[in-house]
Amino acid sequence: MIIGNDEKLLMIGDSITDCERARPIGESRFGGGTGKGYVAQVEALLHTRYPERNIRVVNMGISGNTVRDLKARWQTDVVELKPDWLSIMIGINDVWRQFDSPTIPEAHVYIEEYEATLDELVAATKPTVKGIVLMTPFYIEPNREDAMRATMDQYGAVVQQLAAKHGARFVDTQAAFDRVMRHLYPATLAWDRVHPVLSGHMTIAKAFLDEIGFEWD
Amino acid sequence: MIIGNDEKLLMIGDSITDCERARPIGESRFGGGTGKGYVAQVEALLHTRYPERNIRVVNMGISGNTVRDLKARWQTDVVELKPDWLSIMIGINDVWRQFDSPTIPEAHVYIEEYEATLDELVAATKPTVKGIVLMTPFYIEPNREDAMRATMDQYGAVVQQLAAKHGARFVDTQAAFDRVMRHLYPATLAWDRVHPVLSGHMTIAKAFLDEIGFEWD
Amino acid sequence: MIIGNDEKLLMIGDSITDCERARPIGESRFGGGTGKGYVAQVEALLHTRYPERNIRVVNMGISGNTVRDLKARWQTDVVELKPDWLSIMIGINDVWRQFDSPTIPEAHVYIEEYEATLDELVAATKPTVKGIVLMTPFYIEPNREDAMRATMDQYGAVVQQLAAKHGARFVDTQAAFDRVMRHLYPATLAWDRVHPVLSGHMTIAKAFLDEIGFEWD
Amino acid sequence: MIIGNDEKLLMIGDSITDCERARPIGESRFGGGTGKGYVAQVEALLHTRYPERNIRVVNMGISGNTVRDLKARWQTDVVELKPDWLSIMIGINDVWRQFDSPTIPEAHVYIEEYEATLDELVAATKPTVKGIVLMTPFYIEPNREDAMRATMDQYGAVVQQLAAKHGARFVDTQAAFDRVMRHLYPATLAWDRVHPVLSGHMTIAKAFLDEIGFEWD
Amino acid sequence: MIIGNDEKLLMIGDSITDCERARPIGESRFGGGTGKGYVAQVEALLHTRYPERNIRVVNMGISGNTVRDLKARWQTDVVELKPDWLSIMIGINDVWRQFDSPTIPEAHVYIEEYEATLDELVAATKPTVKGIVLMTPFYIEPNREDAMRATMDQYGAVVQQLAAKHGARFVDTQAAFDRVMRHLYPATLAWDRVHPVLSGHMTIAKAFLDEIGFEWD
Amino acid sequence: MIIGNDEKLLMIGDSITDCERARPIGESRFGGGTGKGYVAQVEALLHTRYPERNIRVVNMGISGNTVRDLKARWQTDVVELKPDWLSIMIGINDVWRQFDSPTIPEAHVYIEEYEATLDELVAATKPTVKGIVLMTPFYIEPNREDAMRATMDQYGAVVQQLAAKHGARFVDTQAAFDRVMRHLYPATLAWDRVHPVLSGHMTIAKAFLDEIGFEWD
Amino acid sequence: MIIGNDEKLLMIGDSITDCERARPIGESRFGGGTGKGYVAQVEALLHTRYPERNIRVVNMGISGNTVRDLKARWQTDVVELKPDWLSIMIGINDVWRQFDSPTIPEAHVYIEEYEATLDELVAATKPTVKGIVLMTPFYIEPNREDAMRATMDQYGAVVQQLAAKHGARFVDTQAAFDRVMRHLYPATLAWDRVHPVLSGHMTIAKAFLDEIGFEWD
Amino acid sequence: MIIGNDEKLLMIGDSITDCERARPIGESRFGGGTGKGYVAQVEALLHTRYPERNIRVVNMGISGNTVRDLKARWQTDVVELKPDWLSIMIGINDVWRQFDSPTIPEAHVYIEEYEATLDELVAATKPTVKGIVLMTPFYIEPNREDAMRATMDQYGAVVQQLAAKHGARFVDTQAAFDRVMRHLYPATLAWDRVHPVLSGHMTIAKAFLDEIGFEWD
């Protein structure tokens, strides 16, 4: 497993990451500071499996964020916290607003802006950390012809390309959900096909952990 | 993994199990019904890893319960729910009351009553289910000379003996915590050395899953 | 418009109908008693357009209901309230539970039970009222290949057949939503493809009003 | 219907308009942002009937406002939001304070100030929008000899004159309520003869929609 | 002043009387038990002016009550409390429901039932008390041609006739409000022309006190 | 009665005056703005008895205030509000802190500071108003030998002397309570011998009204 | 100190005893069960000074109780709890109601009933316990001529006589407060001369502890 | 007892001291301002035993504080309040964070910083007060081999050395708890071995009072 002794992992994103994390910094004594979602699950599995490594997990997700919002708070919420490892999962709101708020165009973040901004953030941060993990946004809808799913897949492809370009680690959360959706209808996993129940968060957590070399036994 | 398609796993216990589960039955649509502790983690890991098995997890823990309380509600909370698999983790309050409430003797459940009652419940239920998993109570205190830890270990030994006697599966949660405590001080894991943070719950969940044959990959 | 002077219209259903209506009877002085959904919109449009008719609208929806639940409360919630006109929109939960709660089979109401129960209720009530309006359940998902949409369409077909059989009026709410969805993605209309925003409720209200002969001018 | 594709309609006014709208801007994802009154009803009917037009409705009403208050926030709440269409319904509080607060003269906005201010706002804004809809204030009291009703009618006449002067569209909400009050006593429509129940809001919504060419079928 | 040493005055009625009185009996140590309306004002003026008489005031008003409701609770709320003096002010809701709830006829208490019921209650109670004070219902609307005001006046006339028939004391609260309304518009006195501000309650209190011989000096 | 048409009466003081008045100015539409104590009672009796005078009553009391606090807010809370008539009742806290907080000397306002400050405020304000009413502080304790009562009487004597010096009207609230206490034990009037029940507030209101020439009939 | 190993002390009374104790039995794990008043202070001092004795303290006070109320719940709240030692402090409300509620005679418990009832309770219970401690009621008013203080002293004398008659231990709480009041004004000790601040509770606790032989060192 | 007439005792520390004290200054009229812990108990015992001394007790504890936090607020929270006597109990959080938050090193206050800072504060303040009482931090864990207990003992030794160096009075709270723990298991005294129940607070209070010469009799 790639995260070493006393290293800090900072995970940033939107509401999927946030999940009621502590403010202003997403950590706390006696637990709960990393929220109730996949970040907390990652932390729990790391602490249980590697208690000797004393790994610090910090959740900096904020609900509703797009990549445009990440850029605006990058200095205070990433750079100044000096992580050793950084994970980024962003893009769901960038796409969703195009579909749930068609009358509010200023809330849409189109794919050019998405790619350019994410590219800029990764490029600037890569030299300062031991590693970056780029995670795709996802949509818990199995029909790839669905308009929003199709758009989300395009944003996911951008993430994959940027990971390759920058030598970042890559987690395909959409593929992870696709595997589960072969057996479960989306309504079992998420009220709105976006915010998963704990089982869905665990799907994300497992995909992340597999990428960083976590071993159950 | 021993739990098969469409089978129901019922997990009963005290506050460690309860963790704000749904009432009167600890399950619900769209998640959350199994609470926020190890039961929910077990469910999330099972659903993520084995989505095709459609496993039903039901949490019937109640905070503050001793084995005496389990007996009083066994008919409605276990028998009538017809589980395929049953896990029992009880005994912490049976012991704790002897140490935190020395002036209230009627709240103490001594080891003879503990053993006899648990024996009776397991014996009566064993024939009706596919399997029972007996989990020890635990105390997040590394000093085996500590009075309460020493007593808890005696109760844990009873659980181990009963598992052997009835051919039940056995999970040594105390041993699991002991492994973690080689690296972490108790205050990192639990405010009161009893109610763990999410990492501690994951330690329990992992011990349980390992016993039932869960495979990460 | 078919509802005459001083006549009472009772609308029954599930959460789409309920929408925070008054308890135990869904009406009240000074408004609000018919909830915040399509029933309230129907009432407001009838009162505005036909103030001289003094029409009484009563909302008897209850969130989460299936046709099985309607049957259980039919005597107190329909028969004893002696409506002149009755509308029924039920079936969404009958179907939804099959898809969001695959581990809880006792919550599923399959199509045979659905048809038999609805048939029985309509047959028993038809002679006591001036008219019954049967409304299809719906799913705000444009992909007819989607598993839940396909099932919902089967239930909708049952409603249409029963309307024909009993000479009841028929409202195809699914068709009404399909027309809107030619232009709007589901996420614009409903967080979960089931509970619509006010615009979606108005789509239902308009479909109902058109069937009963409402004239805007 | 005069509002075209992707155009924005901004509706401003007092508590009749406000109705718990979102702050600071009266719109939102997934509905509710335009409040619970006539603005929300207008939006719902437009979206249902003309889903292809993608019309944006924004509610900028604030409870308790007089025309003096509108002037103070005109720049931020109207001009900077760049509406295509603008509706204004103001004057109820200008009049009401003269009758419910006789000891507080600084809260009274007399007719000269009312006319001059509204004239100024309309004149300044007319060139920047595709159209303005001026709506009269109203009082749900059928007795035209009633002191407050008589005064409200004078303010309504000012609105009609300004509409003619500036070539704005004109909605006579008082006339719409008078038609309903031929059949319904005021207490049925509004607790205080000012804040209507949903049926009363629909009376306003219908009067507005009729003026802008809405067609039900 | 007619109320003597250590005598008990019980005042019953609807929301105008109730005003958040104590439950189940409307009195309490350290004040507040008689509510916040005219009953509390009567009590305060009696205690201030006649402290030596030790008069007991009990408020048994209940919001929303009609004379039909008074009859249903007369035994427990009047007879068993054994008052020396009894005041009754009822009828506003009997009339109001006819005007604000035209679709709910079972909530209307028409004048025949009103007269017969009040007559019966007064006749049965007169022999057991030192005196009864009958107070008219009122409507804070100066226009006697208004439909609800005209009806309220008819109910007030019934009260006056019953007072004469039974030799009860009579308080014309409508006349008291009419005197104030020569100078104040209804909106100054009551949000809804029914529930007065403190000044309106004092108008009722003064009318009552004048009838029972209260002297300021 | 000395307050004329359209004149404003401002009443300032401590918690006895405050009584949950509106902030920042103690008046409001539809009542309640003058609080729940003697100010509201004065207002209600003036409006009921002299509705034609359109008298404006404003409550500027603040709980816990001493004369030192009044001085600090005199400009904004009295001068800038331009009253025609001004009443001042202050001093209870100036004395009380000496007896309930013996260890906190900075909270004590001794009689020299009390007299000098009140003198200064009255002198500065007298020329700008039609009249000032000085009301004594009081203590609802009949035993004049009681240490706190004896001190309060000294402060009351200061008020009387200042009233004479400046030609202000004078209200002896202590004397008013003494008359009531000939018949009622203090515990009937006030939980703490300071904050009276409504009957005690009416005792203050009546003493004030008698001084300004109020006539009941 | 007279309370021995593993013995139970039950303290019963009114609001002075109650102080937010646990329900239905006034004890709890981890403290707080004995409330926030003198009972909790007695418990804390006993546990600190005599930790080896394992003394059980149970608070059964109920706010507002008179001796009449104690009698009504004696069986469940004293007898069935089988205390070794019993303290009773009752009578404040028996007296207070005569002074704060002169119009409510049914709430007064006069001295004959007080003496007879307390006599009966002590006589019946004496044989079943190791000892009874009778504590006088008190009034934090130094003036012995005060009407309520004078009455309270009579009730206190009854307690002293009954203690002598039955051979119970006797605590003169009034005398303890009198000693403090030589230096502190009542307002320092209690808002209402009845419910003391923590310092006043400690005065009671110390008087009790001195009687049972508590030694600080 | 060393605290004389009208002198002020200021007690500063962390959550053990704080205990819901008043803000911004930990004192208040009518009690409660010094919180619910040992400070309030000290105050209550001093007032009860030495009412004639009029001692002022002020609680300036703040939950979570380390000695680093004390230094940051020393000027406003100690110096400017001009105490005659000062007690300091700090260090629990300095140690605890090292054990409950191993991943957050910036929250750890190691022993060199602890000693230097406390030394500086005592040295600077000693000349301005009549006396300083230094109290050790404590850990309610009897096993001196326990890692956190062992560390806490080192910090306690620092306190003892500084007391000797500066001639301050010294209270060994750890020793006081050790005496109690000979008979009581830690869980009886504190949920988390840090925040004691009232009995544990009394153990601290007694240790403090014994050091300052308090005499029970």
Side-chain angles (χ1 to χ4, degrees), chain F residues 9-115:
Chain F
L9 166 65
L10 190 154
M11 309 189 86
I12 199 164
D14 51 31
S15 63
I16 313 301
T17 304
D18 187 335
C19 282
E20 306 178 40
R21 68 157 173 104
R23 253 69 175 177
I25 307 297
E27 68 181 345
S28 72
R29 290 203 302 137
F30 290 119
T34 52
K36 301 177 173 175
Y38 76 87
V39 181
Q41 292 170 333
V42 163
E43 181 188 38
L45 281 160
L46 287 175
H47 284 180
T48 295
R49 182 60 185 77
Y50 305 98
E52 72 283 3
R53 294 208 190 178
N54 196 36
I55 296 170
R56 184 174 190 173
V57 179
V58 180
N59 179 347
M60 294 304 289
I62 292 185
S63 291
N65 268 204
T66 62
V67 76
R68 195 186 289 165
D69 299 307
L70 285 200
K71 183 179 174 184
R73 63 187 178 93
W74 199 256
Q75 178 63 24
T76 53
D77 285 9
V78 176
V79 176
E80 295 178 6
L81 296 180
K82 297 184 179 150
D84 298 294
W85 300 89
L86 173 67
S87 80
I88 308 171
M89 183 168 72
I90 199 71
I92 291 179
N93 292 305
D94 306 61
V95 172
W96 205 4
R97 289 304 86 70
Q98 301 172 43
F99 289 88
D100 69 10
S101 308
T103 65
I104 310 179
E106 66 269 32
H108 306 173
V109 177
Y110 296 109
I111 198 163
E112 297 74 18
E113 177 181 356
Y114 178 75
E115 178 168 2

Side-chain angles (χ1 to χ4, degrees), chain A residues 192, chain C residues 138 140 177 185-197, chain D residues 30:
Chain A
D192 56 4
Chain C
F138 60 84
I140 305 176
F177 277 114
Y185 187 77
T188 307
L189 290 164
W191 183 263
D192 57 3
R193 309 202 175 186
V194 168
H195 294 96
V197 296
Chain D
F30 289 120

Side-chain angles (χ1 to χ4, degrees), chain C residues 68-140:
Chain C
R68 194 187 289 163
D69 300 306
L70 286 200
K71 183 179 174 183
R73 62 186 178 94
W74 199 256
Q75 177 64 23
T76 54
D77 286 7
V78 176
V79 177
E80 296 178 5
L81 297 180
K82 298 184 177 148
D84 297 294
W85 301 88
L86 173 68
S87 80
I88 308 172
M89 183 167 72
I90 199 71
I92 292 179
N93 292 305
D94 306 61
V95 173
W96 204 4
R97 288 306 84 71
Q98 301 172 42
F99 290 88
D100 69 10
S101 307
T103 65
I104 310 181
E106 65 268 33
H108 306 172
V109 177
Y110 297 110
I111 198 162
E112 298 74 18
E113 178 181 355
Y114 177 76
E115 178 167 4
T117 309
L118 190 54
D119 190 12
E120 173 190 340
L121 295 178
V122 173
T125 314
K126 192 78 199 326
T128 73
V129 297
K130 295 190 173 157
I132 291 180
V133 182
L134 288 180
M135 305 168 78
T136 67
F138 60 84
Y139 190 44
I140 305 176

Side-chain angles (χ1 to χ4, degrees), chain A:
Chain A
M1 206 273 298
I2 62 176
I3 306 181
N5 288 4
D6 303 316
E7 293 183 346
K8 180 197 281 195
L9 165 64
L10 189 153
M11 309 191 87
I12 199 165
D14 50 32
S15 62
I16 313 301
T17 303
D18 186 336
C19 283
E20 307 178 38
R21 68 156 171 106
R23 253 68 175 178
I25 307 300
E27 68 181 344
S28 71
R29 290 203 301 136
F30 288 119
T34 51
K36 303 178 173 175
Y38 76 88
V39 182
Q41 291 169 335
V42 163
E43 181 187 39
L45 281 160
L46 288 176
H47 284 180
T48 294
R49 182 58 185 79
Y50 305 97
E52 73 284 3
R53 295 211 188 177
N54 197 35
I55 296 169
R56 184 176 191 173
V57 179
V58 179
N59 179 348
M60 295 304 288
I62 291 185
S63 292
N65 266 205
T66 61
V67 78
R68 194 186 290 164
D69 299 308
L70 285 201
K71 183 180 175 183
R73 62 187 180 93
W74 199 257
Q75 178 63 24
T76 53
D77 285 9
V78 176
V79 177
E80 296 178 5
L81 297 179
K82 299 184 177 147
D84 298 294
W85 300 89
L86 172 68
S87 80
I88 308 171
M89 182 168 69
I90 200 69
I92 292 180
N93 292 305
D94 306 62
V95 173
W96 204 3
R97 286 306 85 70
Q98 301 171 43
F99 290 88
D100 70 9
S101 308
T103 65
I104 310 181
E106 66 270 32
H108 306 172
V109 177
Y110 297 108
I111 198 163
E112 296 75 19
E113 177 181 355
Y114 177 76
E115 179 167 3
T117 309
L118 190 55
D119 190 11
E120 173 190 339
L121 295 178
V122 172
T125 312
K126 192 75 199 325
T128 73
V129 297
K130 296 193 172 155
I132 291 180
V133 183
L134 289 180
M135 305 168 78
T136 67
F138 60 84
Y139 191 44
I140 305 176
E141 162 61 62
N143 175 19
R144 288 166 197 242
E145 309 304 313
D146 177 275
M148 184 164 148
R149 168 69 197 262
T151 305
M152 198 69 79
D153 283 347
Q154 294 172 344
Y155 282 59
V158 164
V159 174
Q160 189 165 21
Q161 294 157 14
L162 290 176
K165 173 178 175 184
H166 294 287
R169 289 179 175 271
F170 174 68
V171 176
D172 192 341
T173 64
Q174 183 69 66
F177 277 114
D178 285 348
R179 278 190 292 278
V180 174
M181 282 192 283
R182 281 204 289 275
H183 306 288
L184 293 176
Y185 186 77
T188 306
L189 290 163
W191 182 264
D192 56 4
R193 309 200 174 189
V194 169
H195 294 96
V197 296
L198 281 179
S199 297
H201 273 284
M202 193 62 89
T203 297
I204 304 170
K206 186 173 186 305
F208 174 84
L209 289 168
D210 283 341
E211 176 63 25
I212 65 167
F214 176 86
E215 296 179 312
W216 177 266
D217 296 306

Side-chain angles (χ1 to χ4, degrees), chain B residues 27-30 47 54-56, chain C residues 97 100-106:
Chain B
E27 67 181 345
S28 70
R29 290 203 301 136
F30 290 118
H47 284 180
N54 197 35
I55 296 169
R56 184 175 191 173
Chain C
R97 288 306 84 71
D100 69 10
S101 307
T103 65
I104 310 181
E106 65 268 33

Side-chain angles (χ1 to χ4, degrees), chain E residues 22 55 77 87 102 105 108 124 172 176 187 210:
Chain E
I55 296 170
D77 286 8
S87 81
H108 305 172
D172 192 340
D210 283 342

